[in-house]
Amino acid sequence: MTAFEAALDDLFVDPNLAVTVSYQGRPIRALVRRPDREVEFSDITVQTSTAIFEIRRKEVVSPAAGDVIVHDGDSFVVQGEPRLDAERLVWTISVRPT
């Protein structure tokens, strides 16, 4: 294990940064962001909430569109193609509510 991998593990076990979510019915640790996003339609702008999950590759080897993540009682479906970071250790996953 590299020093970088050890530091990532520390982030994912920190209760102030990471939470336990259910990924396809299995508990894993994740970093969760719920940023608002502005979407423009013609001449109007709508603000909507989004959710992005970061999960360790060693916990989910190959996430796929259609997989389900449950966080705080809310269910989300993986949409699009999950992306790995430069070190290929952490997935960034965009989701939509179910």
Side-chain angles (χ1 to χ4, degrees):
M1 176 181 295
T2 67
F4 189 71
E5 289 172 300
L8 273 175
D9 284 345
D10 287 343
L11 291 175
F12 278 87
V13 297
D14 186 324
N16 298 303
L17 299 174
V19 296
T20 300
V21 300
S22 172
Y23 190 96
Q24 291 293 93
R26 194 178 58 142
I28 64 166
R29 297 292 288 174
L31 302 175
V32 181
R33 292 182 281 141
R34 305 276 307 257
D36 288 340
R37 183 175 72 127
E38 291 185 351
V39 179
E40 294 184 18
F41 295 103
S42 187
D43 59 346
I44 62 170
T45 301
V46 177
Q47 190 168 359
T48 183
S49 61
T50 63
I52 298 168
F53 292 85
E54 292 180 303
I55 58 174
R56 291 178 287 187
R57 185 178 183 192
K58 70 181 183 180
E59 289 193 277
V60 178
V61 177
S62 57
D67 288 354
V68 176
I69 300 173
V70 179
H71 171 252
D72 273 349
D74 295 327
S75 294
F76 301 92
V77 175
V78 175
Q79 66 179 8
E81 193 66 32
R83 297 179 318 270
L84 277 172
D85 67 340
E87 290 78 23
R88 309 196 60 74
L89 299 173
V90 177
W91 291 106
T92 299
I93 300 173
S94 296
V95 297
R96 64 174 171 77
T98 56

